[in-house]
Amino acid sequence: MLSVVIPTRNANASLPRTLACLAEGRAEAGISEIIVADGGSVTSPDVSGFDAMVLRGPSGRGVQMAAGADAATGDWLLFLHADTVPGKGWARAVAAHMAQSSKAAAFRFELDDPGSKARMLEKLVALRCWLFAMPYGDQGLLVPRSLYDEAGGFRPLPLMEDVDLVSRIGRSRLVYLDVPAVTSAERYVRDGYFARIIRNLTCLAMWSVGVSPERIRRFYR
C-alpha cells in the first residue's frame, strides 16, 4: 500500500487542489493514507473533505518529510509538494510501477504556465535529470519503504533535502514515470524565470562543492 507525505507551511491556497487530485486516484493508486506534515503554518492546513492526517512539527522540509515518513505505514512512500498536482494517468502509472519495480521513481517536471519560458525551463529540467539523475522535490518522489530506509531517509536539512536523498538513492535505482507533475509557476513569475533559474543552479553548484545547507538557505532566500 502507498502512503503519501505532503510537507506544508502556509499552503492552503494550493493544498486542496493537490488533495483533490489524490482523492480522485486514491483507489487505483492504492493509497492507504495521506499525511500532511505541517511546519508551523499560521492557519491549520485545510484538509476538510479529504481523508488526510495532519502531523504538526518544526519547520523545515527535510524535517517535515522525515517525520511524515516515520509516521507512514505503507510499503511505498510518495513525497509530494503541496503546490504540485500529478498529471493525467498518474494513478495508473504509480500502480504499475509499484507492481513491477523495486526502484524509486519521479514524475516529469511541468509548470502550470502556458508561456514559452515555462517550456524552456521544462526542457532544462529534463536535461538535468538525464545528465545528472537529479530530480527535485517538485517532481515528486515515489520510493519503496525498504529503499528509503536503506538510503537513510530524509536528513533534517534546511534546503537541498531532495538532492541529498536522491544522490544517496543513486542513478541505478531511479527511473522516471512518463506522467507530469504539474507545479505552480508562481515563484518563477514573481521572481523572474532567469533570476530563479540562476539562483537554483547556483544553489546546486554550492551543494556540489560542499557549501553548508544553512549557507545555501541564506543565499536562496
Side-chain angles (χ1 to χ4, degrees), residues 48-93:
S48 56
F50 301 103
D51 183 10
M53 176 182 76
V54 177
L55 183 68
R56 304 183 189 282
S59 179
R61 194 170 274 164
V63 174
Q64 291 167 235
M65 289 197 284
D70 287 345
T73 60
D75 302 311
W76 285 76
L77 305 170
L78 173 59
F79 298 97
L80 196 65
H81 289 183
D83 63 350
T84 297
V85 178
K88 184 178 179 180
W90 73 270
R92 182 180 303 174

Side-chain angles (χ1 to χ4, degrees), residues 127-161:
L127 179 63
R128 184 194 70 216
C129 291
W130 179 68
L131 288 174
F132 305 112
M134 194 63 67
Y136 286 177
D138 50 15
Q139 291 173 250
L141 181 64
L142 176 65
V143 58
R145 160 67 75 173
S146 57
L147 177 53
Y148 175 83
D149 291 340
E150 181 185 338
F154 280 103
R155 294 197 296 160
L157 303 178
L159 203 68
M160 311 302 289
E161 77 293 328

Side-chain angles (χ1 to χ4, degrees), residues 75-77 93-94 96-106 141-148 150 169-177:
D75 302 311
W76 285 76
L77 305 170
V94 164
H97 177 79
M98 292 190 299
Q100 300 168 5
S101 178
S102 60
K103 295 184 178 183
L141 181 64
L142 176 65
V143 58
R145 160 67 75 173
S146 57
L147 177 53
Y148 175 83
E150 181 185 338
I169 290 174
R171 179 188 292 272
S172 65
R173 299 188 292 183
L174 176 69
V175 299
Y176 296 92
L177 303 179

Side-chain angles (χ1 to χ4, degrees), residues 15-16 19-24 26 34 45-53:
L15 180 61
L19 291 175
C21 178
L22 293 174
E24 184 177 344
R26 185 165 191 154
I34 299 173
D46 183 8
V47 298
S48 56
F50 301 103
D51 183 10
M53 176 182 76

Side-chain angles (χ1 to χ4, degrees), residues 11-43:
N12 277 342
S14 57
L15 180 61
R17 185 175 58 166
T18 300
L19 291 175
C21 178
L22 293 174
E24 184 177 344
R26 185 165 191 154
E28 186 173 11
I31 296 175
S32 59
E33 60 190 356
I34 299 173
I35 300 172
V36 176
D38 188 62
S41 294
V42 174
T43 303

